[in-house]
Coordinates of all heavy atoms in Angstrom, one line a residue:
L29 N 4.0 16.7 3.2 CA 3.2 15.5 3.0 C 3.9 14.2 3.2 O 3.5 13.3 3.8 CB 2.5 15.6 1.7 CG 1.3 16.6 1.5 CD1 0.8 16.6 0.1 CD2 0.2 16.2 2.5
R30 N 5.1 14.2 2.6 CA 5.9 13.0 2.7 C 6.3 12.7 4.1 O 6.2 11.6 4.6 CB 7.2 13.1 1.8 CG 8.0 11.8 1.8 CD 9.3 12.0 1.0 NE 9.0 12.3 -0.4 CZ 9.3 13.5 -1.0 NH1 9.8 14.5 -0.3 NH2 9.0 13.6 -2.3
S31 N 6.7 13.7 4.8 CA 7.1 13.5 6.2 C 5.9 13.1 7.1 O 6.0 12.2 7.9 CB 7.7 14.9 6.8 OG 8.0 14.7 8.2
T32 N 4.7 13.8 6.8 CA 3.5 13.5 7.6 C 3.1 12.1 7.3 O 2.7 11.3 8.2 CB 2.4 14.5 7.2 OG1 2.8 15.8 7.5 CG2 1.1 14.1 8.0
L33 N 3.1 11.6 6.1 CA 2.6 10.3 5.7 C 3.5 9.2 6.3 O 3.1 8.2 6.7 CB 2.5 10.2 4.2 CG 1.3 11.0 3.6 CD1 1.4 10.9 2.0 CD2 0.0 10.4 4.0
D34 N 4.8 9.5 6.2 CA 5.8 8.5 6.8 C 5.5 8.3 8.3 O 5.5 7.2 8.8 CB 7.2 9.0 6.6 CG 7.7 8.8 5.1 OD1 7.0 8.1 4.4 OD2 8.7 9.4 4.7
S35 N 5.3 9.5 9.0 CA 5.1 9.4 10.4 C 3.7 8.7 10.7 O 3.6 7.9 11.6 CB 5.1 10.8 11.0 OG 4.7 10.8 12.4
L36 N 2.7 9.1 9.9 CA 1.4 8.5 10.1 C 1.4 7.0 9.8 O 0.8 6.2 10.6 CB 0.4 9.1 9.1 CG -1.1 8.6 9.1 CD1 -1.7 8.9 10.5 CD2 -1.9 9.3 8.0
K37 N 2.2 6.5 8.8 CA 2.3 5.1 8.5 C 2.9 4.4 9.7 O 2.4 3.3 10.1 CB 3.1 4.9 7.3 CG 3.3 3.4 6.9 CD 4.2 3.3 5.7 CE 4.4 1.8 5.3 NZ 5.4 1.6 4.2
A38 N 3.9 4.9 10.2 CA 4.6 4.2 11.4 C 3.7 4.2 12.6 O 3.6 3.1 13.3 CB 5.9 5.0 11.7
D39 N 2.9 5.2 12.8 CA 2.0 5.2 14.0 C 0.9 4.3 13.8 O 0.5 3.5 14.7 CB 1.5 6.7 14.2 CG 2.5 7.6 14.7 OD1 3.6 7.1 15.2 OD2 2.3 8.8 14.6
L40 N 0.3 4.2 12.6 CA -0.8 3.4 12.3 C -0.5 1.9 12.4 O -1.3 1.1 12.8 CB -1.5 3.7 11.0 CG -2.2 5.1 10.9 CD1 -2.7 5.3 9.5 CD2 -3.3 5.2 11.9
E41 N 0.7 1.6 11.9 CA 1.1 0.2 11.9 C 1.4 -0.4 13.3 O 1.4 -1.6 13.5 CB 2.4 0.0 11.0 CG 2.2 0.2 9.5 CD 3.4 0.1 8.7 OE1 4.5 0.2 9.3 OE2 3.3 -0.1 7.5
N42 N 1.5 0.6 14.3 CA 1.7 0.1 15.6 C 0.4 0.1 16.4 O 0.5 -0.2 17.7 CB 2.7 1.0 16.3 CG 4.1 0.9 15.8 OD1 4.5 -0.2 15.4 ND2 4.9 2.0 15.7
M43 N -0.7 0.3 15.8 CA -2.0 0.5 16.6 C -2.7 -0.9 16.7 O -3.7 -0.9 17.5 CB -2.9 1.5 15.9 CG -2.4 2.9 16.0 SD -3.6 4.1 15.3 CE -4.9 3.9 16.4
G44 N -2.3 -1.9 16.1 CA -3.0 -3.2 16.2 C -2.5 -4.2 15.3 O -1.5 -4.0 14.6
P45 N -3.1 -5.4 15.4 CA -2.6 -6.5 14.5 C -2.8 -6.2 13.0 O -3.8 -5.5 12.7 CB -3.5 -7.7 14.9 CG -4.7 -7.1 15.5 CD -4.2 -5.8 16.2
P46 N -2.0 -6.6 12.1 CA -2.1 -6.3 10.7 C -3.4 -7.0 10.1 O -3.7 -8.1 10.5 CB -0.8 -6.9 10.1 CG -0.4 -8.0 11.1 CD -0.8 -7.5 12.4
T47 N -4.0 -6.3 9.2 CA -5.2 -6.8 8.6 C -5.0 -7.2 7.1 O -5.8 -7.8 6.5 CB -6.3 -5.7 8.6 OG1 -5.9 -4.6 7.9 CG2 -6.7 -5.4 10.0
D48 N -3.8 -6.8 6.6 CA -3.5 -7.1 5.2 C -3.6 -8.6 4.9 O -4.1 -9.0 3.8 CB -2.1 -6.6 4.8 CG -2.1 -5.1 4.5 OD1 -3.2 -4.5 4.5 OD2 -1.0 -4.6 4.3
S49 N -3.2 -9.4 5.8 CA -3.1 -10.9 5.5 C -4.5 -11.5 5.4 O -4.6 -12.7 4.9 CB -2.3 -11.6 6.5 OG -2.9 -11.4 7.8
V50 N -5.5 -10.9 5.9 CA -6.9 -11.5 5.8 C -7.9 -10.7 5.0 O -9.0 -11.0 4.9 CB -7.4 -11.6 7.3 CG1 -6.6 -12.6 8.1 CG2 -7.6 -10.3 8.0
T51 N -7.4 -9.6 4.4 CA -8.3 -8.7 3.7 C -8.0 -8.7 2.2 O -6.9 -8.7 1.8 CB -8.2 -7.2 4.2 OG1 -8.4 -7.3 5.6 CG2 -9.2 -6.3 3.6
V52 N -9.1 -8.7 1.4 CA -9.0 -8.5 0.0 C -9.6 -7.2 -0.4 O -10.7 -6.9 -0.1 CB -9.7 -9.6 -0.8 CG1 -9.7 -9.4 -2.3 CG2 -9.2 -11.0 -0.5
W53 N -8.7 -6.3 -0.9 CA -9.1 -4.9 -1.2 C -9.6 -4.7 -2.6 O -8.9 -5.1 -3.6 CB -7.9 -4.0 -0.9 CG -7.4 -4.1 0.5 CD1 -6.4 -4.8 0.9 CD2 -8.0 -3.4 1.6 NE1 -6.2 -4.7 2.3 CE2 -7.2 -3.8 2.7 CE3 -9.0 -2.6 1.9 CZ2 -7.4 -3.4 4.0 CZ3 -9.3 -2.1 3.2 CH2 -8.5 -2.5 4.2
P54 N -10.7 -4.2 -2.9 CA -11.3 -4.0 -4.2 C -10.6 -3.0 -5.0 O -10.0 -2.0 -4.5 CB -12.8 -3.7 -4.0 CG -12.7 -2.9 -2.7 CD -11.7 -3.6 -1.8
L55 N -10.6 -3.2 -6.3 CA -10.1 -2.2 -7.3 C -11.2 -2.0 -8.3 O -11.6 -3.0 -9.0 CB -8.8 -2.7 -8.0 CG -7.6 -2.9 -7.2 CD1 -6.5 -3.7 -7.9 CD2 -7.0 -1.6 -6.8
T56 N -11.8 -0.8 -8.4 CA -13.0 -0.6 -9.2 C -12.9 0.4 -10.2 O -13.9 0.7 -10.9 CB -14.2 -0.2 -8.2 OG1 -13.8 1.0 -7.5 CG2 -14.5 -1.3 -7.2
S57 N -11.7 0.9 -10.5 CA -11.5 1.9 -11.5 C -10.2 1.8 -12.2 O -9.3 1.2 -11.6 CB -11.6 3.4 -11.0 OG -10.5 3.7 -10.2
E58 N -10.1 2.2 -13.4 CA -8.9 2.1 -14.2 C -7.7 2.9 -13.5 O -6.6 2.4 -13.4 CB -9.1 2.7 -15.6 CG -7.8 2.5 -16.5 CD -8.1 3.1 -17.9 OE1 -9.0 3.9 -18.0 OE2 -7.3 2.7 -18.8
V59 N -8.0 4.0 -12.9 CA -7.0 4.8 -12.2 C -6.5 4.0 -11.0 O -5.3 4.0 -10.8 CB -7.6 6.2 -11.7 CG1 -6.6 6.9 -10.8 CG2 -7.9 7.0 -12.9
D60 N -7.4 3.5 -10.2 CA -7.0 2.7 -9.0 C -6.1 1.5 -9.4 O -5.1 1.2 -8.8 CB -8.2 2.2 -8.2 CG -8.9 3.3 -7.5 OD1 -8.3 4.3 -7.3 OD2 -10.0 3.1 -7.1
L61 N -6.5 0.8 -10.5 CA -5.8 -0.4 -11.0 C -4.4 0.0 -11.4 O -3.4 -0.6 -11.0 CB -6.5 -1.0 -12.1 CG -5.9 -2.2 -12.8 CD1 -5.6 -3.3 -11.8 CD2 -6.7 -2.7 -14.0
K62 N -4.3 1.0 -12.3 CA -2.9 1.5 -12.7 C -2.0 1.9 -11.6 O -0.8 1.6 -11.6 CB -3.1 2.6 -13.8 CG -3.7 2.1 -15.1 CD -3.7 3.3 -16.1 CE -4.3 2.8 -17.5 NZ -4.3 3.9 -18.4
D63 N -2.6 2.7 -10.7 CA -1.8 3.2 -9.6 C -1.3 2.0 -8.7 O -0.1 2.0 -8.3 CB -2.7 4.1 -8.7 CG -1.9 4.7 -7.5 OD1 -1.0 5.4 -7.7 OD2 -2.3 4.3 -6.4
K64 N -2.2 1.1 -8.4 CA -1.8 0.0 -7.5 C -0.8 -0.9 -8.2 O 0.2 -1.3 -7.6 CB -3.0 -0.8 -7.0 CG -2.6 -1.9 -6.0 CD -2.0 -1.3 -4.8 CE -1.6 -2.4 -3.8 NZ -1.0 -1.8 -2.6
A65 N -1.0 -1.2 -9.5 CA -0.1 -2.1 -10.2 C 1.3 -1.5 -10.3 O 2.3 -2.1 -10.1 CB -0.6 -2.3 -11.6
L66 N 1.4 -0.2 -10.6 CA 2.7 0.5 -10.7 C 3.4 0.5 -9.3 O 4.6 0.3 -9.2 CB 2.5 1.9 -11.2 CG 3.8 2.7 -11.4 CD1 4.7 2.0 -12.4 CD2 3.5 4.1 -11.9
R67 N 2.6 0.7 -8.2 CA 3.2 0.7 -6.9 C 3.8 -0.6 -6.5 O 4.8 -0.8 -5.9 CB 2.3 1.3 -5.9 CG 2.1 2.8 -5.9 CD 1.4 3.3 -4.7 NE -0.1 3.0 -4.8 CZ -0.8 2.5 -3.9 NH1 -0.2 2.0 -2.8 NH2 -2.1 2.3 -4.1
L68 N 3.0 -1.7 -6.9 CA 3.5 -3.0 -6.6 C 4.9 -3.3 -7.3 O 5.8 -3.9 -6.7 CB 2.5 -4.1 -7.1 CG 1.2 -4.2 -6.3 CD1 0.3 -5.3 -6.8 CD2 1.5 -4.5 -4.8
V69 N 5.0 -2.9 -8.6 CA 6.2 -3.1 -9.3 C 7.4 -2.3 -8.6 O 8.5 -2.8 -8.4 CB 6.1 -2.7 -10.8 CG1 7.4 -2.8 -11.5 CG2 5.1 -3.6 -11.5
T70 N 7.1 -1.0 -8.3 CA 8.2 -0.2 -7.8 C 8.6 -0.6 -6.4 O 9.7 -0.3 -5.9 CB 7.8 1.3 -7.8 OG1 6.6 1.4 -7.1 CG2 7.6 1.8 -9.2
E71 N 7.7 -1.3 -5.6 CA 8.0 -1.7 -4.3 C 8.6 -3.1 -4.2 O 9.0 -3.5 -3.1 CB 6.7 -1.6 -3.4 CG 6.2 -0.2 -3.2 CD 4.8 -0.2 -2.6 OE1 4.3 -1.3 -2.3 OE2 4.3 0.9 -2.4
A72 N 8.6 -3.8 -5.3 CA 9.1 -5.2 -5.3 C 10.6 -5.2 -4.9 O 11.4 -4.3 -5.2 CB 9.0 -5.8 -6.7
Q73 N 10.9 -6.3 -4.1 CA 12.3 -6.4 -3.6 C 13.0 -7.6 -4.2 O 14.3 -7.6 -4.3 CB 12.3 -6.6 -2.1 CG 11.7 -5.4 -1.4 CD 12.5 -4.2 -1.5 OE1 13.7 -4.2 -1.4 NE2 11.9 -3.0 -1.8
K74 N 12.3 -8.7 -4.7 CA 12.9 -9.9 -5.1 C 12.5 -10.4 -6.5 O 13.3 -10.6 -7.4 CB 12.6 -11.0 -4.1 CG 13.2 -10.8 -2.7 CD 12.8 -11.9 -1.7 CE 13.3 -11.6 -0.3 NZ 12.8 -12.7 0.6
F75 N 11.2 -10.5 -6.7 CA 10.8 -11.0 -8.0 C 9.3 -10.5 -8.3 O 8.6 -10.2 -7.5 CB 10.8 -12.6 -8.1 CG 10.0 -13.3 -7.0 CD1 8.6 -13.5 -7.2 CD2 10.6 -13.7 -5.9 CE1 7.9 -14.1 -6.2 CE2 9.9 -14.4 -4.9 CZ 8.5 -14.6 -5.1
L76 N 9.1 -10.6 -9.7 CA 7.8 -10.1 -10.2 C 7.2 -11.2 -11.1 O 7.9 -11.7 -12.0 CB 7.9 -8.8 -11.0 CG 8.6 -7.6 -10.4 CD1 8.9 -6.6 -11.5 CD2 7.7 -7.0 -9.4

């Protein structure tokens, strides 16, 4: 799964212009909120 997801991520990111900068993604459950918050902290490179 890790290998497949890494490959899929690379392929998808090359398919068109990025949408992250113009999109606001909803969080509607406690599980989604906790998961995204934790991933943001672990992926940080400079400051929080």
Side-chain angles (χ1 to χ4, degrees):
L29 284 175
R30 185 182 296 113
S31 177
T32 299
L33 290 173
D34 287 346
S35 177
L36 180 62
K37 179 182 178 183
D39 290 341
L40 291 176
E41 288 178 345
N42 291 325
M43 289 187 66
T47 59
D48 279 354
S49 61
V50 297
T51 304
V52 177
W53 302 97
L55 295 167
T56 57
S57 74
E58 184 180 20
V59 172
D60 287 343
L61 176 61
K62 288 183 177 181
D63 178 67
K64 185 59 183 179
L66 184 58
R67 282 191 286 127
L68 288 181
V69 174
T70 56
E71 293 170 3
Q73 299 294 316
K74 299 177 181 178
F75 58 84
L76 307 166

